[in-house]
Amino acid sequence: MDLICFCHIRWKFVYQRPQHLMNRFARHGRVYFIEEPVYEPAGKSFLEIKKDGENLWIVTSHLPDSYTEEEIVFQQKILLSAFYNDNKIENYIHWYYTPMALTISNHLQPELIVYDCMDELSNFKFAPADLKQKEKELFRIADLVLTGGHNLYQAKKSLHNNIFPFPSSIDKDHFMQARGTMNIPPDQKNIRQRIFGFYGVIDERFDIELLREVAIRKPEWSFVIIGPVIKIDPATLPVSPNINYLGPKTYEELPAYLADWDIALIPFLLNDSTKYISPTKTPEYLAAGVPVLSSAIVDVVTPYGLNNLVQIFDDADSFILAGEKELAKKSTEKRKWLRSVDLFLKENSWDETWRQIKQHISTTLKNKKNPTITIKKEGAYV
């Protein structure tokens, strides 16, 4: 079957859950990754189609910026219908990361509808006003729902009868490269030890004031911040001689940066936008063999904090205390910790996650074609 993925995150933005899963599906069938539109001052509406791998295409609508909301929806429906027809897309799955995409795809007839709910998007800055209503609609029509973490699963499990938690996984071989000898990237080469590093999106979730305070109080520590700055004013970021903003890096480049870090960070605020997140970077940092300090994100505390794999901090004081404790550890303690990490991550991989998801897809398809129990989807809400 073909898979049509509707996503609010652009394919080339940051390599994360959608890219991991879609690339694995592309090993078995065609994948079309539908991005949100690009608006231009003038010209005709058209679809830009780029191939990215053997069986994966990135599809982006280009629309005039003069269109009304109704015209934007109508034109995308026309473009999608023509696209399905031209590419003989007849037996297919719709896979949603954004419920807002229902508006442009609800006229189509997929064999299966999957909602991979990786975050509580309605809590994010600049979320569409009708996102919650669209998610309700998607829960009503979806055949299979996945969640990006256990905490999010607990919040959503009563909304659907076929829902499963799938927290962040890892590509262990990729990140374990950081445990070996790697060439230090030029822009990190002259940064003095001790390096506390972060990679990811720098947005409203990032604890700017924590970084500012710790950098002032610990001038002997160096901070490396990797990633794009979005939804916040870059001018609000703390500036200090020991804070280094290196910008976005590719997925392939990350192990080389990690290899030179003493400690990796998850410095997120505890608010609505982080209540249900399950940071992919947590197991990636660990697979790289780098000790981790994190704020008390629920899906980091359980299981990583409870298993003493990650140190949890609440404020600048506890951050500094945890950092000093980690840096003072002897090599025997570090080796013991790393053995615990490897044992914990033994069965964790995107390949295993995809294998389990594929099984759920297969079972759901069989049950849909040969139902043994009639489930009234309209009654899924409580």
Side-chain angles (χ1 to χ4, degrees), residues 6-10 33-34 36 97-98 118-119 121 124:
F6 297 90
C7 193
H8 57 293
I9 301 170
R10 297 204 180 276
F33 188 88
I34 313 297
E36 294 190 336
Y97 281 106
T98 170
M118 67 178 187
D119 283 308
L121 296 179
F124 283 22

Side-chain angles (χ1 to χ4, degrees), residues 28-240:
H28 309 282
R30 295 188 300 181
V31 172
Y32 298 100
F33 188 88
I34 313 297
E35 296 188 328
E36 294 190 336
V38 171
Y39 299 98
E40 298 171 340
K44 295 182 179 180
S45 301
F46 69 95
L47 284 183
E48 178 186 15
I49 303 167
K50 294 182 178 178
K51 194 169 185 181
D52 192 287
E54 183 63 29
N55 268 334
L56 195 146
W57 290 263
I58 316 305
V59 182
T60 311
S61 297
H62 287 250
L63 306 174
D65 59 9
S66 59
Y67 273 0
T68 64
E69 288 297 323
E70 290 77 14
E71 288 172 324
I72 288 171
V73 171
F74 181 70
Q75 192 60 47
Q76 285 185 91
K77 284 188 171 184
I78 290 176
L79 290 171
L80 275 179
S81 294
F83 176 73
Y84 280 44
N85 184 63
D86 292 345
N87 289 277
K88 295 181 172 55
I89 301 172
E90 299 167 349
N91 185 31
Y92 57 93
I93 295 169
H94 273 180
W95 183 294
Y96 292 91
Y97 281 106
T98 170
M100 300 305 296
L102 283 178
T103 308
I104 64 168
S105 60
N106 57 10
H107 64 296
L108 300 165
Q109 300 295 321
E111 295 293 322
L112 195 75
I113 295 175
V114 179
Y115 177 29
D116 190 3
C117 179
M118 67 178 187
D119 283 308
E120 184 61 86
L121 296 179
S122 62
N123 287 343
F124 283 22
K125 197 172 184 179
F126 306 130
D130 55 345
L131 181 57
K132 286 187 176 181
Q133 184 56 43
K134 285 296 178 186
E135 186 179 70
K136 285 184 179 180
E137 182 182 343
L138 184 50
F139 265 107
R140 181 178 62 82
I141 65 173
D143 300 294
L144 173 63
V145 178
L146 315 172
T147 67
H150 289 287
N151 194 34
L152 188 57
Y153 170 76
Q154 292 300 323
K156 303 284 188 182
K157 65 181 182 180
S158 64
L159 303 181
H160 203 271
N161 61 332
N162 194 32
I163 181 171
F164 304 92
F166 281 96
S168 302
S169 298
I170 44 170
D171 180 349
K172 280 199 286 286
D173 290 342
H174 180 65
F175 285 96
M176 286 182 74
Q177 294 177 87
R179 301 189 189 188
T181 302
M182 302 194 76
N183 293 326
I184 301 173
D187 56 352
Q188 188 171 276
K189 203 165 191 177
N190 295 321
I191 297 174
R192 65 184 182 186
Q193 305 289 337
R194 308 277 197 160
I195 294 179
F196 288 64
F198 167 87
Y199 65 72
V201 178
I202 304 155
D203 57 16
E204 75 272 20
R205 298 170 295 177
F206 193 90
D207 195 337
I208 291 173
E209 295 309 316
L210 173 79
L211 176 61
R212 190 190 316 276
E213 182 177 350
V214 174
I216 291 171
R217 291 172 58 182
K218 300 297 289 185
E220 69 273 25
W221 292 354
S222 295
F223 297 88
V224 168
I225 310 298
I226 290 174
V229 180
I230 66 168
K231 296 190 286 183
I232 62 172
D233 183 356
T236 64
L237 296 174
V239 177
S240 175

